[in-house]
Amino acid sequence: MEVDLEPKVLDTSSMTEKGYEEFGCSHYRRRCKIRAPCCDEIFDCRHCHNDAKNSIEIDPFDRHEVPRHDIKRVICSLCDREQDVQQHCINCGVCMGKYFCSKCNFFDDDVSKKQYHCDGCGICRIGGAENFFHCDKCGCCYSMMMKNSHKCVEKAMHHNCAVCFEFLFDTTKEITVLPCGHTIHLECVREMERHSQYSCPVCSKSFCDMTRVWERLDRDVASTGMPQIYQNRRVWILCNDCGENSEVNFHFVAHKCPICSSYNTKLTRGRIATGSSEIMKTV
């Protein structure tokens, strides 16, 4: 009788791949859950925790978020073994996330996002480390295409989106940087454009080429006659685009900046032209 003396080799690769893309939540595909240290409850990810603990049904005094760096325990989705944060389960050997960051305690099976950890930001970002640079003054990562041209705004993403009020620094949505340097969700910008809003909601500067709009307003102003009582009235305006104050003729339609030709202006103060007795009587 022949005896097979060849050693049996354990196919560890099949074990680590087991359950790939079968587990996770709406935020991440992963093969583990987390135990939130703040409330000692189990969730699919920290975003699931934050959504649940900040819902309108929760008492405002009990609402909270879990800091990603404080997560210490995870639960394998395949064998339910709870353990310290690590990439492979100590019980069944499965890989709990093809991308794993021990600094952020972060797992994700979808590596097509090209995740990378930025020490400057202190968190993991997506898009590939070779495609981004960290700006120390802005305190965030930007595309390499902006390295020599972006306008620095201190702590540019360390605030809420001016439209939807979601915190931008660790948002999972795509963001864009306006020419003025302020950051906002890309979808929020598109929503503003759908409602004919073309100025930054933070500083009011125009964020796209408004030449054709200004030309149309030129025609509207020229075709709209002003009553005799207002023809000599002068007012002061502030241009949101160039930041200059100017004195211009008052008009019902709009006020054009004489410095940069923008109509993105606002009235700061007005005065009645000297010698206009008819206007003085009206006032």
Side-chain angles (χ1 to χ4, degrees):
M1 183 176 66
E2 293 185 2
V3 179
D4 185 6
L5 299 178
E6 290 294 323
K8 299 295 183 181
V9 178
L10 184 64
D11 187 1
T12 57
S13 62
S14 62
M15 293 180 61
T16 57
E17 293 298 314
K18 188 176 181 181
Y20 175 62
E21 291 192 338
E22 295 179 13
F23 298 90
C25 59
S26 60
H27 305 103
Y28 304 112
R29 305 308 298 169
R30 60 206 298 184
R31 285 164 279 178
C32 68
K33 299 180 180 181
I34 64 167
R35 181 175 292 280
C38 45
C39 53
D40 201 38
E41 296 180 33
I42 297 175
F43 294 89
D44 285 315
C45 74
R46 67 181 185 86
H47 292 295
C48 291
H49 167 278
N50 295 342
D51 290 345
K53 295 302 180 180
N54 288 284
S55 67
I56 194 170
E57 292 83 10
I58 301 296
D59 188 298
F61 293 102
D62 294 329
R63 295 174 189 174
H64 64 280
E65 297 189 354
V66 57
R68 71 189 76 201
H69 303 100
D70 291 349
I71 297 171
K72 303 300 180 184
R73 304 285 287 177
V74 295
I75 298 91
C76 175
S77 297
L78 278 78
C79 69
D80 291 327
R81 176 66 178 271
E82 184 168 345
Q83 57 205 279
D84 292 337
V85 174
Q86 54 200 304
Q87 188 171 17
H88 294 86
C89 176
I90 59 174
N91 183 51
C92 67
V94 71
C95 176
M96 293 186 284
K98 281 195 169 184
Y99 176 82
F100 170 67
C101 177
S102 59
K103 296 179 180 179
C104 293
N105 304 318
F106 174 57
F107 302 80
D108 197 352
D109 269 336
D110 184 7
V111 292
S112 65
K113 301 174 185 176
K114 296 183 178 180
Q115 301 94 327
Y116 69 97
H117 181 85
C118 173
D119 287 325
C121 290
I123 61 174
C124 290
R125 298 212 175 272
I126 61 174
E130 69 280 4
N131 299 318
F132 292 86
F133 73 97
H134 181 83
C135 176
D136 291 327
K137 183 175 181 179
C138 294
C140 53
C141 287
Y142 288 137
S143 168
M144 291 295 290
M145 294 185 294
M146 298 175 57
K147 189 166 187 178
N148 299 316
S149 60
H150 82 286
K151 183 176 181 180
C152 283
V153 174
E154 191 171 359
K155 301 294 183 182
M157 287 202 298
H158 294 256
H159 59 81
N160 296 337
C161 173
V163 176
C164 68
F165 301 108
E166 179 185 341
F167 191 58
L168 288 172
F169 185 68
D170 56 1
T171 182
T172 57
K173 301 175 184 176
E174 190 173 358
I175 65 167
T176 186
V177 183
L178 303 180
C180 57
H182 293 115
T183 53
I184 191 173
H185 286 125
L186 180 59
E187 181 54 36
C188 290
V189 172
R190 290 172 177 165
E191 185 66 23
M192 289 172 60
E193 291 175 335
R194 284 192 285 268
H195 289 82
S196 301
Q197 298 294 322
Y198 304 106
S199 60
C200 172
V202 178
C203 66
S204 297
K205 291 183 182 295
S206 302
F207 58 73
C208 57
D209 185 4
M210 300 293 288
T211 303
R212 294 179 62 183
V213 178
W214 301 159
E215 289 174 350
R216 188 187 67 194
L217 282 172
D218 279 337
R219 294 191 295 269
D220 290 345
V221 169
S223 63
T224 305
M226 291 292 289
Q228 182 67 34
I229 193 173
Y230 290 111
Q231 287 184 1
N232 294 320
R233 184 173 182 180
R234 303 279 287 178
V235 292
W236 283 89
I237 60 170
L238 170 65
C239 178
N240 292 319
D241 287 340
C242 70
E244 295 294 330
N245 287 281
S246 305
E247 188 182 27
V248 299
N249 288 325
F250 173 73
H251 201 282
F252 290 146
V253 175
H255 299 109
K256 183 175 183 177
C257 173
I259 310 298
C260 68
S261 300
S262 169
Y263 277 99
N264 183 14
T265 62
K266 59 183 178 183
L267 189 69
T268 56
R269 65 184 188 274
R271 69 175 180 82
I272 308 303
T274 304
S276 180
S277 57
E278 191 64 27
I279 295 179
M280 292 297 292
K281 290 178 182 177
T282 303
V283 174

